[in-house]
Amino acid sequence: MKGFTTRIVHSDRQEAIEHGSLHKPIHANVAYGYEDARDLAAVFQGTKAGYSYGRQINPTVEALERKISRMEDGLQSVCFGTGMAAIGTMLFALLRQGDHFVSSSFLFGNTNSLFQSFDAHGVDVSFVDATDVAAVADAVTERTRLVFVETIANPRTQVTALEEIGELCRERGLVYVVDNTMTSPYLFQPKAVGASLVVNSLTKYIGGHGNALGGAVTEMGTFDWGGFDNIYETYRKGEPAKWAITQIKKKGLRDFGASLGPEAAHHIAMGAETLGLRLERQCANSRALTRWLDAHPRVKRVYYPGLESHPEHHRAERLFRHPGALFSFELTGDVDIWDFMNRLQVVVKSSNLGDNRTLAIPVAHTIYYEMGPARRASMGIDDSLIRISVGIEDTDDLLADFEAALDG
Ligand SMILES: *Cc1c(COP(=O)(O)O)cnc(C)c1O
């Protein structure tokens, strides 16, 4: 098989190429017309491949779905308007009242908030320390259907026990969902640890330019959906490996309508071509910056899986091509967080991550503000914690920016 970037750059050419266009054209189109009304009916009945309505299917979005399946070495992908839409629609399509699932407690904040809503609607969730497989195993009950984890957590960079949880899910017949956003398929393919379904926020590294929102769910083809009761009779057709992704698309996406638009799909597909190149640079910058900050007297602690002091350093080095492009750090008591941040000139004070630009955010005062001081303390979020999403700038410019801000 060819290398990652070769496969992605030449992905669209694997299917019939329209007018010789090297980029899949943007089909800004909602409805599809047929000469023969019988064809229209056949498309709706699923006996003939074709396009029905833009909420569920669009050729530009479909080309991106194929590209993501190639990146993740998966069977089939479905795209959504955002990463949150992908997670919410997937779980709503697969779980029923009375079901239970186990989730990592080190979660993207909005995913955490979403799971609390599932709990309020009769789908129970247990939050556990997923760096330890025993904590996950202890939380599994007879009603447990699924385990949900992220690869590297944000902002404290805990690395999940991905291999061990994969083993547990296989033994217990549980659906294993891995949110691969923080690593992206360039750094890690969750298929290697037995994931059933993989989630990616396309807004982050895959799109990479901070110019389009999107999300995706990819079926790995490893789970036996034949034994999964929550698949409706209508979708129990053809090979069982595709039953769940079909239900997520045909029912979940259709009913919720959190569709990805063709223009956004185009932006994301363009961004995806350079995913490997960008991450090489971003990870090299991350290693250089964390090494430098870790040795600085005004920095109390640096959280980055690439540092030997990180509790899951060896796991990260074993599983991932590089240990990611996001880190966080705490300042010593004599440094004012606002003065420090305002002295940064190259680094942008902003939320988001996975952008080409390096972004810094004071965690306790922004994305974790709503939680309050007690919950923040329980999660180890210090008031001086700053999260850095590392960009593709020249390494020396970033080092100089941090040096000037710390020594200023
Ligand atoms: C950003 C993010 C999401 C949500 O993605 P959006 O596209 O912003 O909705 C989900 N999971 C993780 C790990 C993320 O970082």
Side-chain angles (χ1 to χ4, degrees):
M1 191 156 70
K2 294 205 166 56
F4 186 87
T5 296
T6 311
R7 276 186 286 135
I8 300 324
V9 169
H10 293 279
S11 173
D12 290 345
R13 288 174 57 218
Q14 306 307 307
E15 282 75 35
I17 192 156
E18 298 158 50
H19 317 294
S21 307
L22 290 182
H23 293 146
K24 182 72 181 181
I26 301 174
H27 290 261
N29 189 50
V30 172
Y32 305 86
Y34 292 87
E35 283 302 313
D36 185 339
R38 277 180 290 252
D39 286 341
L40 177 64
V43 166
F44 267 81
Q45 290 167 20
T47 53
K48 193 172 171 160
Y51 298 91
S52 49
Y53 184 63
R55 192 181 333 109
Q56 296 151 78
I57 192 161
N58 173 287
T60 313
V61 176
E62 230 180 6
L64 177 62
E65 290 173 343
R66 282 192 290 261
K67 196 170 279 187
I68 292 159
S69 295
R70 288 186 177 116
M71 289 186 199
E72 289 289 5
D73 194 17
L75 208 55
Q76 193 185 329
S77 301
V78 180
C79 282
F80 297 86
T82 64
M84 288 315 303
I87 297 169
T89 308
M90 168 189 65
L91 293 182
F92 198 87
L94 294 182
L95 298 174
R96 303 270 176 281
Q97 188 173 25
D99 286 346
H100 168 258
F101 70 102
V102 181
S103 168
S104 168
S105 52
F106 309 124
L107 273 189
F108 178 64
N110 298 158
T111 307
N112 185 73
S113 165
L114 172 73
F115 289 179
Q116 317 261 359
S117 302
F118 269 94
D119 214 79
H121 286 87
V123 174
D124 299 329
V125 51
S126 302
F127 293 101
V128 302
D129 175 355
T131 61
D132 178 9
V133 67
V136 179
D138 284 349
V140 173
T141 71
E142 296 216 316
R143 294 187 296 119
T144 307
R145 296 296 194 143
L146 173 152
V147 176
F148 185 101
V149 299
E150 295 178 3
T151 51
I152 305 177
N154 150 23
R156 283 277 306 270
T157 72
Q158 295 95 336
V159 181
T160 298
L162 290 157
E163 300 149 297
E164 297 85 348
I165 297 172
E167 251 328 279
L168 175 79
C169 288
R170 202 179 49 75
E171 280 165 17
R172 305 291 293 266
L174 301 171
V175 179
Y176 186 21
V177 183
V178 178
D179 182 335
N180 197 26
T181 302
M182 293 297 292
T183 23
S184 93
Y186 180 70
L187 298 183
F188 177 62
Q189 286 184 328
K191 193 178 185 177
V193 295
S196 327
L197 294 163
V198 174
V199 173
N200 279 288
S201 165
L202 307 175
T203 315
K204 313 290 173 56
Y205 294 100
I206 292 180
H209 295 68
N211 59 355
L213 290 154
V217 176
T218 304
E219 165 69 56
M220 291 295 119
T222 52
F223 189 80
D224 176 17
W225 297 102
F228 194 79
D229 298 344
N230 292 349
I231 305 289
Y232 292 103
E233 208 47 52
T234 336
Y235 307 116
R236 292 178 168 272
K237 285 187 195 125
E239 42 171 334
K242 287 193 174 170
W243 290 358
I245 197 77
T246 304
Q247 183 158 301
I248 290 166
K249 181 180 176 123
K250 293 270 172 80
K251 183 146 181 69
L253 178 61
R254 184 197 64 194
D255 295 358
F256 270 103
S259 321
L260 181 67
E263 292 86 358
H266 173 76
H267 280 303
I268 293 163
M270 291 303 95
E273 294 192 352
T274 55
L275 174 62
L277 281 75
R278 287 185 278 109
L279 269 172
E280 283 296 329
R281 175 73 156 247
Q282 287 167 306
C283 294
N285 279 345
S286 302
R287 285 196 197 265
L289 284 172
T290 52
R291 227 178 285 131
W292 186 85
L293 285 167
D294 200 37
H296 198 285
R298 298 181 121 174
V299 173
K300 196 159 72 188
R301 241 192 114 161
V302 181
Y303 301 97
Y304 181 60
L307 292 173
E308 285 206 25
S309 56
H310 190 284
E312 291 94 40
H313 171 68
H314 294 290
R315 179 182 286 158
E317 293 288 348
R318 185 172 67 245
L319 289 174
F320 310 142
R321 196 193 293 249
H322 301 298
L326 181 133
F327 70 87
S328 56
F329 67 102
E330 293 160 11
L331 297 162
T332 54
D334 59 325
V335 188
D336 182 89
I337 184 170
W338 309 111
D339 288 345
F340 164 75
M341 288 196 69
N342 289 340
R343 278 195 293 265
L344 291 167
Q345 297 293 308
V346 176
V347 177
V348 187
K349 278 79 74 177
S350 173
S351 62
N352 195 21
L353 56 94
D355 197 294
N356 280 335
R357 296 144 194 81
T358 299
L359 310 174
I361 190 161
V363 177
H365 311 273
T366 55
I367 48 179
Y368 279 62
Y369 182 72
E370 203 180 288
M371 284 179 187
R375 182 100 197 278
R376 280 199 297 274
S378 78
M379 298 180 79
I381 306 294
D382 190 272
D383 280 353
S384 77
L385 189 75
I386 298 171
R387 183 190 79 188
I388 306 292
S389 169
V390 181
I392 61 168
E393 296 94 339
D394 297 279
T395 314
D396 288 346
D397 291 333
L398 290 176
L399 285 169
D401 203 37
F402 275 94
E403 185 167 12
L406 268 178
D407 297 338

